[in-house]
Amino acid sequence: MSVTATVQQRVNREIRAREVRVIDNEGNQLGVMNINDAIQAAWDRDLDLVEVAPTAVPPVCRILDFGKYKYSQAKKTQESKKHQRIIKIKEIKMRPKIEGHDYDFKKGHVLRFLSQGHRVKVTIMFRGREMAHTHLGKAILDRLTADLTPYAAPENPPRLEGRNMYVYLVVKPGAVFPESVVRAAQHEPEPEEDAKDA
């Protein structure tokens, strides 16, 4: 019986220990056995010897159908992934001389992304001589952080990198978003991450 194991899980002849503690396919302890006897015991049942606790002394092995075992483990992993929420990093870009209406529009996008559980990177893009006035960009990021205080917190202070200043915003635990924002996030297409001039 030939079974290919993953790196973490050794099966049959891949098990390196000389002696192993064996549990049979019905959950009964067979005790500590020589590895060859343990493999033979598994093969006599038309099953595999699978190392389940390699760090134990001696290592613990179970007699089971490795193909079915791998399948059930894959199903469990798949089920757990269904219940996981994938957190993406969304980015909203602004200019240091952003108009009030555009600021509010982009703040709405940030709020919508946050309501979906995403991290949001807010970037201020500087051009040419604007680099002499990076304080304007910081003021916008500080204002946005203050405006969103009930819902989000900055992961770090604003940072300047090349011609861009940015801050990451993350959802505060227990934050309750306005119902209008949640509805918009559920029923409308996600706003595109905006790289245009504001």
Side-chain angles (χ1 to χ4, degrees):
M1 185 179 291
S2 173
V3 177
T4 304
T6 59
V7 174
Q8 295 85 2
Q9 204 111 48
R10 295 189 187 98
V11 179
N12 299 329
R13 296 283 178 209
E14 295 170 353
I15 300 167
R16 297 185 185 136
R18 289 181 184 172
E19 288 188 330
V20 292
R21 184 174 301 281
V22 181
I23 301 167
D24 74 8
N25 51 315
E26 292 173 2
N28 301 317
Q29 294 262 357
L30 300 185
V32 176
M33 300 173 73
N34 173 285
I35 187 62
N36 293 327
D37 295 340
I39 291 170
Q40 192 58 54
W43 287 357
D44 288 346
R45 293 168 171 83
D46 203 26
L47 295 170
D48 303 295
L49 186 69
V50 180
E51 190 176 52
V52 292
T55 55
V57 181
V60 179
C61 295
R62 290 189 77 101
I63 293 174
L64 48 81
D65 182 327
F66 188 62
K68 282 184 182 174
Y69 175 75
K70 271 199 342 184
Y71 177 76
S72 71
Q73 291 299 101
K75 288 293 279 182
K76 281 181 192 171
T77 304
Q78 196 175 12
E79 281 300 311
S80 68
K81 280 184 181 175
K82 277 185 189 174
H83 301 294
Q84 284 178 350
R85 187 165 196 171
I86 296 170
I87 297 175
K88 296 178 185 172
I89 298 176
K90 299 289 188 175
E91 184 172 19
I92 294 290
K93 296 182 179 181
M94 302 184 189
R95 298 297 312 279
K97 294 177 182 175
I98 190 167
E99 300 281 332
H101 169 76
D102 292 330
Y103 170 83
D104 291 337
F105 183 72
K106 294 200 177 190
K107 181 175 76 174
H109 284 350
V110 173
L111 198 54
R112 214 172 296 175
F113 287 144
L114 289 166
S115 76
Q116 294 168 330
H118 302 307
R119 286 172 71 210
V120 182
K121 180 182 182 182
V122 182
T123 303
I124 306 293
M125 302 180 300
F126 298 98
R127 286 192 185 154
R129 293 181 183 168
E130 290 173 349
M131 285 301 293
H133 305 285
T134 55
H135 63 281
L136 296 175
K138 185 175 184 306
I140 292 168
L141 295 178
D142 288 345
R143 175 184 168 195
L144 184 67
T145 301
D147 287 349
L148 297 176
T149 296
Y151 316 106
E155 239 182 20
N156 52 276
R159 293 181 186 166
L160 186 64
E161 203 171 85
R163 293 189 166 275
N164 296 329
M165 181 178 284
Y166 65 91
V167 69
Y168 282 98
L169 298 175
V170 291
V171 181
K172 281 186 174 176
V176 179
F177 291 87
E179 199 171 313
S180 58
V181 172
V182 174
R183 267 202 314 272
Q186 287 172 346
H187 301 297
E188 291 178 14
E190 285 188 358
E192 288 184 15
E193 296 154 26
D194 200 348
K196 294 177 184 174
D197 291 356

